[in-house]
Amino acid sequence: MSWLVSLPCTRDEAEALSGEVPALDALPDAPVVATREIDEAAGQWQLDAYVETPPSAALVETLRALIPSARSAAPTVEELPEEDWVTLSQQGLRPVQAGRFFVHTSSHADHVPSGVVAFQIDASQAFGTGGHDTTAGCLAMLDRLARRGAAPRNIADIGTGTGLLAFAALHLWPRARVIASDIDPASIFVTRDNAVINAVPLGRGGGQLALAVAAGTDHPAIRHRAPFDLVIANILAGPLITLAPDIAASTAPGGHAILAGLIARQMEAVLAAYRAQGFRLAARGGSADWPCLLLAKRRRYGFRRKERAFHRSDPADASFGSW
């Protein structure tokens, strides 16, 4: 990529561009997009879009539509030296420390403090570098859960993005079986590459990470491994609510779910969906704007009908997109 298009934006607009953006993905010259804070005191943010060819008028108009505050702003267009966009895009991503975890890009690999668990996650097509409040909140909540003495042996990271949260879970509970899934195949390839960079073992056994392309929990490997002691879902409020019955069915009684990707005003709706499925709120973390919820699934006592079994007699623990 050798062209950079920059436009001013607000913090809210920058946050809204943290996940998948179908309008950009549909463009022939689909860009890699990064947002960064320019002036904290003034609340100034900037959107940077990197493309391989001179930016088209359609690209600029799409960017303006996504950030209404910049509709009248003239974009800054710059041709970059070969591969310079990589360095520039990483410079905007500062290291993040959450709990015992320190997440950094390759440009900060020489500045890792002692006494932390470090993961190198570079900007990519997948969401979840650690710089967003939702991801940092999940890392802190995982650390908090471990310090409470929790010891899950079967873990699922639904909507894994870059794989970061699955890596952190596997570090905290190194004997656990962990599976990470995402609806976007590109995310699974990014996660596989990140696993190699961070020396995370891939596989299907204890102490290994299995990968799967899946919409929510809809995958043979996920169904076979369920119920889970811990389910992590850092996605968006809408999908979280839609997936509430599936995540509940995939969580063992007494198990936990860590939910993030929602904003503060959506929290009660998400909680209502999961309370209806037998969860209770065990803890709230994250930031004021981006809460991270730790839910516990209530245990059931006395007579009850047998729950639907997920296991099959001879299940395939993988299919296309699984590792």
Side-chain angles (χ1 to χ4, degrees), residues 27-278:
L27 293 171
D29 53 345
V32 171
V33 171
T35 56
R36 54 197 174 102
E37 192 172 35
I38 302 300
D39 187 331
E40 182 177 3
Q44 294 178 351
W45 286 66
Q46 180 171 298
L47 176 147
D48 295 325
Y50 300 86
V51 288
E52 296 178 346
T53 57
S56 65
L59 170 62
V60 174
E61 285 307 308
T62 301
L63 292 173
R64 280 181 168 152
L66 293 170
I67 46 175
S69 65
R71 277 199 173 276
S72 59
T76 300
V77 179
E78 179 183 358
E79 185 175 7
L80 303 174
E82 187 66 24
E83 296 186 352
D84 240 20
W85 72 275
V86 176
T87 301
L88 291 172
S89 66
Q90 302 307 328
Q91 287 174 348
L93 297 174
R94 299 176 182 176
V96 171
Q97 187 158 1
R100 73 191 72 187
F101 299 108
F102 184 84
V103 187
H104 63 91
T105 63
S106 54
S107 61
H108 296 90
D110 296 331
H111 304 284
V112 177
S114 60
V116 299
V117 178
F119 292 112
Q120 178 179 313
I121 306 290
D122 286 322
S124 67
Q125 292 173 285
F127 172 63
T129 61
H132 194 281
D133 282 356
T134 62
T135 310
C138 288
L139 288 171
M141 189 63 77
L142 285 167
D143 184 71
R144 182 175 177 179
L145 192 60
R147 293 184 190 280
R148 286 184 174 185
R153 294 181 296 176
N154 193 19
I155 302 170
D157 179 14
I158 306 299
T160 193
T162 61
L164 174 59
L165 299 179
F167 301 167
L170 196 53
H171 172 84
L172 293 170
W173 300 288
R175 296 184 180 180
R177 297 178 76 212
V178 182
I179 186 167
S181 70
D182 202 284
I183 195 171
D184 184 357
S187 173
I188 296 305
F189 287 105
V190 167
T191 298
R192 180 197 59 186
D193 293 342
N194 285 337
V196 173
I197 292 170
N198 291 282
V200 175
L202 296 175
R204 304 174 190 172
Q208 297 179 318
L209 177 64
L211 305 179
V213 175
T217 62
D218 187 15
H219 191 281
I222 298 174
R223 290 193 295 269
H224 171 50
R225 287 170 177 248
F228 297 94
D229 305 312
L230 174 61
V231 176
I232 308 162
N234 180 21
I235 42 181
L236 297 171
L240 283 175
I241 292 171
T242 300
L243 288 172
D246 292 338
I247 289 178
S250 300
T251 306
H256 290 90
I258 293 176
L259 308 182
L262 60 149
I263 57 179
R265 67 173 180 267
Q266 299 167 329
M267 186 177 72
E268 288 306 320
V270 172
L271 279 174
Y274 282 80
R275 282 172 175 149
Q277 300 296 326

Side-chain angles (χ1 to χ4, degrees), residues 11 15 132-134 136-137 262-264 284-292:
R11 175 181 174 176
E15 298 285 12
H132 194 281
D133 282 356
T134 62
L262 60 149
I263 57 179
R284 173 184 167 168
S287 65
D289 294 332
W290 297 91
C292 177

